[in-house]
Amino acid sequence: MTPLLPHLLDDAPLLDRVRKYGSSLQPGQTGSLTGVAGSLTSLLLTVLHRDSGRQCLVVTPAREQAIRAADDLSVLASGDQVRLFLGREETGAVLTERSRELNDVHTLRSLATGQTPFVVTHVQGLLYRLPVPQTVRTEALTLDVGSRAGFDATLRTLDKFRFDRMDIVEKPGEYAVRGGIVDVFPYV
């Protein structure tokens, strides 16, 4: 933070009311900030996190707003404390497909483990089918092109990770077996 910002965070009457509201929330309880415009939302979220030390999941109505909120939070809270989850999208790209998938995996892991203070997404991002948080925290299956993995063990792992076995893979969380080939559509 810049030297002026801590002073502003400590001395604003509005922020005192936000602090009281934040301290009234129990762990796991949902809070909502409404009627707040622009970058002020990120400032208020920074205050809530700074005072509570709790992780904040920020959900915006639209993808573009999530990107802006993540940018604002990155300035106020430093970039390594903010993760942006966009999920799989049909159009538009902020990152390349592979980079976006890796970002989403890292974001899910940081959300599940509480490592990152702020995780930002949009309403559509909440609708993506994802693995159970405990699974993200403790386990992962990494298959690289050209690597060898046990066929039956891979199928058991996909079942354990709640993938659905289908005849044809069409959406995230599905896999299909064609002879000795396994087609997998990852969650992210």
Side-chain angles (χ1 to χ4, degrees):
M1 284 193 230
T2 63
L4 177 61
L5 193 53
H7 175 72
L8 292 173
L9 296 180
D10 291 333
D11 293 337
L14 169 64
L15 299 182
D16 287 336
R17 293 193 347 219
V18 170
R19 283 186 186 96
K20 286 180 186 174
Y21 171 69
S23 65
S24 72
L25 296 173
Q26 300 300 314
Q29 184 179 3
T30 301
S32 179
L33 295 174
T34 59
V36 182
S39 298
L40 181 58
T41 303
S42 295
L43 177 64
L44 297 177
L45 288 168
T46 303
V47 168
L48 285 173
H49 171 71
R50 189 185 82 166
D51 289 355
S52 71
R54 293 191 229 163
Q55 189 176 45
C56 297
L57 172 63
V58 180
V59 182
T60 65
R63 175 186 170 273
E64 293 75 23
Q65 290 169 306
I67 294 167
R68 280 194 304 272
D71 286 344
D72 287 348
L73 282 168
S74 292
V75 169
L76 293 168
S78 86
D80 62 338
Q81 295 185 344
V82 180
R83 298 297 310 199
L84 175 63
F85 179 78
L86 295 175
R88 188 171 300 280
E89 300 164 326
E90 298 300 319
T91 60
V94 173
L95 304 168
T96 65
E97 183 68 21
R98 181 72 179 139
S99 295
R100 186 171 54 239
E101 288 176 0
L102 287 173
N103 176 70
D104 287 350
V105 167
H106 291 295
T107 300
L108 289 174
R109 285 187 182 149
S110 64
L111 179 61
T113 60
Q115 293 174 334
T116 305
F118 298 99
V119 176
V120 183
T121 190
H122 54 100
V123 173
Q124 280 297 123
L126 295 178
L127 299 178
Y128 294 105
R129 182 179 170 167
L130 301 170
V132 176
Q134 180 64 26
T135 301
V136 174
R137 268 193 294 276
T138 60
E139 302 176 32
L141 173 64
T142 302
L143 301 173
D144 294 316
V145 174
S147 67
R148 294 188 178 267
F151 188 79
D152 292 332
T154 299
L155 296 182
R156 282 193 301 275
T157 301
L158 290 170
D159 288 335
K160 179 177 162 185
F161 288 175
R162 299 176 42 175
F163 277 72
D164 294 323
R165 186 171 179 165
M166 309 298 285
D167 292 329
I168 299 173
V169 174
E170 297 179 318
K171 58 186 178 193
E174 294 181 346
Y175 76 96
V177 178
R178 298 180 294 124
I181 298 172
V182 180
D183 295 324
V184 179
F185 198 138
Y187 287 109
V188 291

